Amino acid sequence: MSATTARVAIVTGGSRGIGRQVVSRLAADGYAVVVNYASNDAEGRSAAEEVIAKGGQALAIRADVSDEVAVAALFDAAEEAFGGVDVVVNAAGVMTPGTPLVDLDLNVLDRVMRVNMRGAFVVAQQAARRLRRGGALITFSTSVTKLAHPGYSAYNASKSAVEGMTLILARELRGRDITVNTVAPGPTATDLFLGANTEEAIARLAAQPPLERLGQPADIAEVVAFLAGPARWVNGQVLLVNGGII
Ligand code: NAP
């Protein structure tokens, strides 16, 4: 497939964890992929190189999703390299540690809202301006919005906002043939999850789903790939992807 005919995807937070698996899955499906990340250049480069080594097309671009100038430049780079944008997956996100609301440092609240909520908004704004017909925007929430685990007030607030914003945007894009959905994973074995939990908490959470294991990034990437391409009749939805915890 030539550089101008492949469907093109931008994956924010594509250098590690779930986003990286989404990069690999979309590339295997034939997409040219722009891998976005915040700070770790080596991981960003290696995610793109992995795609290229398998015969695909990829580009790594550093940009903080909450910075509207950097995100506009990210979309410019995708259009320049590959001719347009068909799919945007906003996997970039941060999680707060399990501090009760009463004791939460408000700087932590500001940081999580800035990356998760403002970042999703900034990326959605560019997606709404630039996605081609037949396109898809996939935002990321969390099953915590339904499970309501104590200690996750700021994270939950940021992700509930993403769910609300996503439904409105799906309706605002009437007539554009663009789907807009949110994927809400349960506990998934990535640095973000494993780094924020004790071994005991990890074992407890892994035992919760009827399938009795943690989610793997590939479990989530499967659903993103479905929403990115074949699932044209799923629109304005929050898909809980958690092995049946709730
Ligand atoms: P992860 O392993 O920590 O990876 C985070 C990725 O996001 C990295 O590529 C990181 O890049 C990037 N990133 C962080 N802040 C960014 C910013 N401001 N701008 C651009 N990129 C940024 O996370 P994950 O577990 O894969 O999570 C992916 C998404 O799923 C998040 O939205 C998270 O809230 C959601 N989620 C995860 C779980 C779970 O259990 N893992 C459950 C529910 C929902 P750098 O390395 O360069 O910083």
Side-chain angles (χ1 to χ4, degrees):
M1 208 174 276
S2 83
T4 49
T5 56
R7 266 166 74 83
V8 179
I10 295 176
V11 182
T12 73
S15 61
R16 295 191 295 110
I18 294 169
R20 183 157 184 154
Q21 197 64 42
V22 168
V23 165
S24 155
R25 175 56 198 264
L26 293 181
D29 286 352
Y31 288 79
V33 187
V34 177
V35 180
N36 157 260
Y37 61 97
S39 58
N40 189 329
D41 294 315
E43 288 293 325
R45 263 199 311 271
S46 114
E49 282 165 7
E50 207 173 276
V51 169
I52 292 163
K54 289 180 182 160
Q57 301 179 73
L59 187 66
I61 305 279
R62 179 176 179 155
D64 180 341
V65 287
S66 66
D67 174 344
E68 63 271 37
V69 175
V71 172
L74 166 68
F75 277 71
D76 287 345
E79 288 175 342
E80 270 160 38
F82 300 125
V85 183
D86 302 287
V87 169
V88 173
V89 181
N90 186 48
V94 292
M95 191 161 75
T96 44
T99 309
L101 182 150
V102 65
D103 296 323
L104 190 75
D105 177 345
L106 293 176
N107 291 318
V108 173
L109 173 70
D110 289 347
R111 160 113 182 105
V112 79
M113 292 303 279
R114 184 163 180 91
V115 176
N116 293 359
M117 195 273 275
R118 188 179 206 279
F121 209 101
V122 167
V123 171
Q125 223 169 32
Q126 287 297 327
R129 290 173 190 164
R130 309 211 205 193
L131 276 172
R132 297 190 281 216
R133 289 187 77 80
L137 168 64
I138 297 133
T139 60
F140 266 75
S141 178
T142 167
S143 296
V144 171
T145 58
K146 301 288 179 296
L147 292 163
H149 291 309
Y152 287 84
S153 55
Y155 185 62
N156 197 340
S158 71
K159 293 298 194 178
S160 296
V162 170
E163 293 183 12
M165 175 204 80
T166 303
L167 174 58
I168 301 288
L169 183 59
R171 293 173 177 195
E172 288 180 354
L173 294 188
R174 171 178 292 273
R176 296 268 307 274
D177 190 20
I178 292 167
T179 62
V180 185
N181 291 290
T182 300
V183 169
T188 308
T190 67
D191 293 346
L192 174 139
F193 170 76
L194 300 170
N197 286 286
T198 62
E199 266 185 43
E200 188 202 352
I202 291 168
R204 184 167 34 78
L205 290 165
Q208 280 184 348
L211 299 177
E212 294 191 318
R213 64 173 177 83
L214 287 179
Q216 294 299 320
D219 295 319
I220 315 302
E222 181 72 29
V223 176
V224 172
F226 176 60
L227 293 172
R232 299 305 300 168
W233 203 234
V234 182
N235 191 24
Q237 303 301 313
V238 178
L239 275 84
L240 296 172
V241 186
N242 58 32
I245 292 181
I246 194 166

